Amino acid sequence: MTTFLTPEDLYNLTGLKTKPGQVRWLQERGYRHEVSALGRPVVLWAEVERHLIGAGGTPRKSAPKLEFLKNNEVRHGAS
């Protein structure tokens, strides 16, 4: 494995073929990256691993609080 994602790796990660689209996708999800002089996003494999295991970076949204739904179901179920 190389240190940096290949163009194919970037496509597999983002699902996007265009360089600007890939950069936007990475930015929106908080991936640390650089952009080469050719406009290609440059991403370390270590950054992908860090991001996917949740070690730092952009905090993930907390899970939805379902208490309201549970309480609402009880009321409707009792009718």
Side-chain angles (χ1 to χ4, degrees), residues 2 13 16 25 28 33-34 38 47 65 68 76 79:
T2 62
L13 177 66
L16 300 166
W25 189 96
E28 289 171 353
H33 64 283
E34 294 291 330
L38 300 173
E47 174 62 10
K65 297 189 182 347
F68 170 76
H76 288 300
S79 298

Side-chain angles (χ1 to χ4, degrees), residues 60-71:
R60 297 184 183 267
K61 294 180 181 176
S62 61
K65 297 189 182 347
L66 301 177
E67 259 333 286
F68 170 76
L69 293 176
K70 290 177 185 173
N71 292 337

